[in-house]
Amino acid sequence: MGAYILRRLLLVIPTLLGIMIINFSLTQFVPGGPIEQILAQLEGGGDVFEGISGGGSELLDSGDSDYIGGRGLPADFIADLEREFGFDKPPLERFLTMMWNYMRFDFGESYFRSISVLDLVLEKMPVSITLGLWSTLIAYMISIPLGIKKAVKDGTPFDTWTSGAIIVGYAIPGFLFAILLIVLFAGGSYFRIFPLRGLTSANFEELSLIGKVLDYFWHITLPVLASTISAFATLTLLTKNSFLDEIKKQYVITARAKGLSESRVLYGHVFRNAMLIVISGFPALFIGVFFGGSLIIETLFSLDGLGRLGFEAAVARDYPVVFGTLFAFSLIGLVVGILTDLTYVLIDPRIDFEARN
């Protein structure tokens, strides 16, 4: 097992390098870089994309600058901007410098926020932890018991009606369900039961410990429900199918023939084997929800999380934030893939990846 883990760790390096090379190369062809953003704002054009989409040829001044929005600005000023952002160097040199810094976990500073990328991510992380952790836990708490129940009652009216409800829940987009929750329960048109903004109230620090806990759960109820609505559908069906496969195996028939109760057969023998694929996917599912927070849901509930941060950084061409978070999250995702394999072995020691290789 040790050799297998070592090989997987060594594969992380070329995989991560490939991800960074592809994304860095793509940015070289994307119009509207950070310097163009600044120049467009200085020229009163607002966003640089307005110039691109609205006949940007009028803003070009080939005599002084190659940048859209650079007309009327001194060439020395633009050259200083290039040096400040590092764009006076060739792309290859910039990429190698960036990767060397990232290997030392130096992700630099945001172009437009005057804060380090690491501090910026840590500032937005509570929102992502809230949505990721609670959405994952609720999905498992609903999906596993429901999936087991559906497997036991396969083909019954209960199985049919719950399957219909699951399909409907899976088909409803999270943002549409979020709007429905706001309209019904956040003062949209009917009831004003839950707050609409933020993770905590303005007087959060003045509350008692119990008051803080209740206030926290009061604020996260609607966004977590909106994030979870479609998450449990796949997990429920996966649990059901996994149990159905195990129930039909010979060892289950033998256990029943020995006179064991149905609950003993189900939870003493079937559960461990059937839940292998479900439980082992927990790390990957949590990381997926954690780092893939819904931008629309965060916007609807005024939550400033990593999803919104990534979108704003991409629009503003804040490359240190874009590449820094991409590097960190890709690295974490690759490591989680290894942890998922280890979870398989932990749950079922009979699995031996080394022997398989």
Side-chain angles (χ1 to χ4, degrees):
M1 191 64 185
Y4 171 78
I5 296 175
L6 179 61
R7 284 196 296 270
R8 288 292 302 272
L9 289 174
L10 292 177
L11 281 174
V12 167
I13 299 175
T15 304
L16 189 59
L17 185 61
I19 292 173
M20 298 303 296
I21 289 175
I22 292 174
N23 285 274
F24 184 86
S25 301
L26 289 175
T27 59
Q28 307 308 306
F29 303 99
V30 176
I35 294 181
E36 291 188 58
Q37 295 275 4
I38 294 176
L39 295 179
Q41 293 175 5
L42 291 176
E43 286 291 318
D47 195 292
V48 68
F49 301 107
E50 296 177 8
I52 294 175
S53 60
S57 59
E58 297 178 1
L59 296 175
L60 289 173
D61 185 2
S62 58
D64 295 328
S65 170
D66 294 329
Y67 291 105
I68 294 175
R71 183 176 183 178
L73 294 174
D76 292 341
F77 174 76
I78 297 176
D80 290 339
L81 281 179
E82 289 181 335
R83 282 192 296 271
E84 181 179 351
F85 288 110
F87 289 104
D88 58 327
K89 301 175 182 177
L92 180 59
E93 182 179 349
R94 286 190 281 119
F95 177 77
L96 294 176
T97 302
M98 180 184 71
M99 291 303 300
W100 171 246
N101 291 333
Y102 286 179
M103 294 301 294
R104 295 179 292 133
F105 295 97
D106 178 10
F107 299 110
E109 186 175 291
S110 169
Y111 283 158
F112 307 109
R113 299 177 186 246
S114 298
I115 183 176
S116 70
V117 174
L118 184 59
D119 291 339
L120 190 59
V121 170
L122 293 176
E123 178 185 320
K124 313 297 182 183
M125 193 167 289
V127 171
S128 297
I129 291 177
T130 293
L131 295 179
L133 179 61
W134 291 112
S135 296
T136 305
L137 289 178
I138 291 175
Y140 269 83
M141 290 171 62
I142 295 176
S143 300
I144 293 177
L146 182 58
I148 295 174
K149 189 76 171 179
K150 286 173 63 63
V152 173
K153 295 185 175 295
D154 183 42
T156 64
F158 173 83
D159 181 41
T160 302
W161 285 108
T162 53
S163 295
I166 288 173
I167 293 173
V168 171
Y170 186 75
I172 298 176
F175 73 90
L176 188 60
F177 187 62
I179 295 175
L180 177 63
L181 292 175
I182 292 173
V183 171
L184 292 178
F185 304 112
S189 297
Y190 296 92
F191 307 101
R192 190 175 183 84
I193 302 175
F194 296 97
L196 183 59
R197 298 178 178 275
L199 286 179
T200 57
S201 300
N203 63 335
F204 181 77
E205 296 299 331
E206 302 173 3
L207 300 176
S208 63
L209 178 59
I210 297 178
K212 289 181 178 179
V213 173
L214 294 176
D215 183 76
Y216 171 73
F217 282 107
W218 183 45
H219 279 77
I220 70 171
T221 299
L222 295 187
V224 168
L225 286 177
S227 301
T228 311
I229 180 63
S230 61
F232 68 88
T234 302
L235 193 56
T236 300
L237 296 179
L238 179 63
T239 303
K240 175 193 172 181
N241 294 332
S242 182
F243 266 79
L244 285 177
D245 290 340
E246 292 296 324
I247 289 174
K248 297 176 182 178
K249 292 184 177 178
Q250 184 63 42
Y251 75 90
V252 177
I253 299 175
T254 303
R256 286 172 174 167
K258 289 181 178 181
L260 296 179
S261 64
E262 191 64 23
S263 61
R264 179 69 182 277
V265 172
L266 190 63
Y267 295 102
H269 293 77
V270 177
F271 186 83
R272 180 174 181 177
N273 296 327
M275 292 305 297
L276 174 63
I277 190 172
V278 178
I279 297 177
S280 61
F282 180 84
L285 178 62
F286 171 70
I287 294 298
V289 177
F290 179 71
F291 291 127
S294 174
L295 166 66
I296 300 179
I297 291 178
E298 289 181 6
T299 302
L300 288 174
F301 292 100
S302 299
L303 300 175
D304 197 6
L306 294 176
R308 192 170 177 179
L309 171 65
F311 174 76
E312 291 176 350
V315 170
R317 302 297 190 265
D318 197 346
Y319 291 149
V321 176
V322 172
F323 290 120
T325 54
L326 175 66
F327 178 88
F329 297 164
S330 298
L331 178 61
I332 293 174
L334 293 171
V335 173
V336 166
I338 300 176
L339 293 178
T340 300
D341 289 345
L342 295 179
T343 307
Y344 274 109
V345 178
L346 180 64
I347 297 175
D348 190 351
R350 295 174 300 175
I351 296 178
D352 188 353
F353 290 103
E354 192 67 34
R356 182 192 66 182
N357 291 333

